[in-house]
Amino acid sequence: MTFKDLGLKESILESISKLGFETPSPIQEQVIPYLLNNDSDIVGLAQTGTGKTAAFGLPLIHLAEPKEKYIQGLMLAPTRELCVQIATELKRYSSMMEDIRIVAVYGGEDIRKQLKELDRTPHILVATPGRLIDLKERGKVDLSKVKYLVLDEADEMLNMGFLDDITNILSSTPEDRRTLLFSATMPKGVKALADKMLKNPIEVLVSSGLESTENVKQYAIFVEEEKKFGLLTKFLE
Ligand code: ADP
């Protein structure tokens, strides 16, 4: 299976080939063609390092319409770091495409800079829930035409107390949007959120993630407890 087989457009194939992507990861093989060729929602049980961001990011870039100047894709993530990471990845994937604007907004940073960024409407917005609500209340984001909504690390978002914010945000998006929910674990709260927010989703399960991805080397060294920290520091150095 290649990325071309999955149905992505040439400009995306070009940029990911430059990034060294050769074969799709299991979650990408499942999610990409599904997003491109079907229209129901997706629940993905997947941890980081499985290629999850590219699994939803590549099709969303493929589906974005540059000429339509409104927020088409919205991604919610629990932390500033994850927002920046998602936006950075998406920008890399769309580097060979005409003007797809991707903006990240998150708490913990001067809001003025983000307000300025929003002066030109993004096609894809990546956001932490709290900051997005703030911007929404200031009338700076219009979510009324969102076609694709991604909830990333849903379990973490609930752990951080974002349930009300998520509910509030989703109520500002169209009923007929497509919703994707990704989570590393599926506790009751996440299941309930998925049941409430998604319509007949297909479920995608990616192996536990305990095995390392191709990009990560793993080592195990057996050591007495009291020597563990010292050795770890030495190893990291
Ligand atoms: P996750 O969201 O599961 O943490 P990402 O999609 O961000 O994973 O992928 C992790 C890293 O691996 C990123 O740097 C990404 O560019 C790279 N990557 C993702 N998919 C592939 C692939 N199929 N081939 C090579 N590299 C990939």
Side-chain angles (χ1 to χ4, degrees), residues 51-189:
K52 182 162 53 85
T53 307
F56 62 74
L58 293 170
L60 259 55
I61 286 167
H62 176 108
L63 294 162
E65 293 171 35
K67 292 198 178 67
E68 307 283 329
K69 310 285 184 205
Y70 54 83
I71 300 171
Q72 300 167 33
L74 173 64
M75 301 173 186
L76 297 180
T79 62
R80 162 197 182 127
E81 289 73 21
L82 190 57
C83 281
V84 171
Q85 193 187 319
I86 294 172
T88 308
E89 284 286 313
L90 297 191
K91 285 178 189 167
R92 293 163 78 201
Y93 304 153
S94 60
S95 62
M96 309 297 286
M97 289 179 74
E98 61 170 309
D99 199 28
I100 299 272
R101 185 163 168 75
I102 298 157
V103 169
V105 294
Y106 39 80
E109 196 196 62
D110 189 348
I111 200 161
R112 280 170 297 185
K113 197 171 145 227
Q114 297 178 359
L115 287 167
K116 215 158 178 214
E117 286 252 55
L118 291 168
D119 280 344
R120 261 183 66 214
T121 308
H123 300 93
I124 297 180
L125 183 66
V126 190
T128 50
R131 177 57 57 101
L132 181 59
I133 299 248
D134 190 344
L135 291 162
K136 189 165 80 84
E137 280 167 3
R138 291 173 191 238
K140 281 308 231 175
V141 287
D142 176 4
L143 304 178
S144 66
K145 291 186 181 166
V146 167
K147 293 192 232 175
Y148 305 95
L149 181 92
V150 181
L151 303 168
D152 197 16
E153 301 201 352
D155 49 357
E156 281 305 314
M157 288 202 281
L158 295 192
N159 284 342
M160 292 168 74
F162 284 137
L163 179 61
D164 289 348
D165 286 352
I166 293 174
T167 312
N168 172 331
I169 291 165
L170 267 68
S171 70
S172 305
T173 63
E175 277 283 322
D176 64 355
R177 61 167 198 264
R178 279 187 87 176
T179 312
L180 286 73
L181 179 148
F182 292 93
S183 196
T185 58
M186 196 54 63
K188 276 203 199 99

Side-chain angles (χ1 to χ4, degrees), residues 2-8 10 13:
T2 65
F3 281 102
K4 199 178 169 72
D5 300 331
L6 299 181
L8 293 167
E10 202 55 51
L13 295 174

Side-chain angles (χ1 to χ4, degrees), residues 10-24:
E10 202 55 51
S11 51
I12 298 181
L13 295 174
E14 217 175 299
S15 52
I16 59 176
S17 139
K18 283 205 174 113
L19 294 170
F21 286 33
E22 283 168 9
T23 22

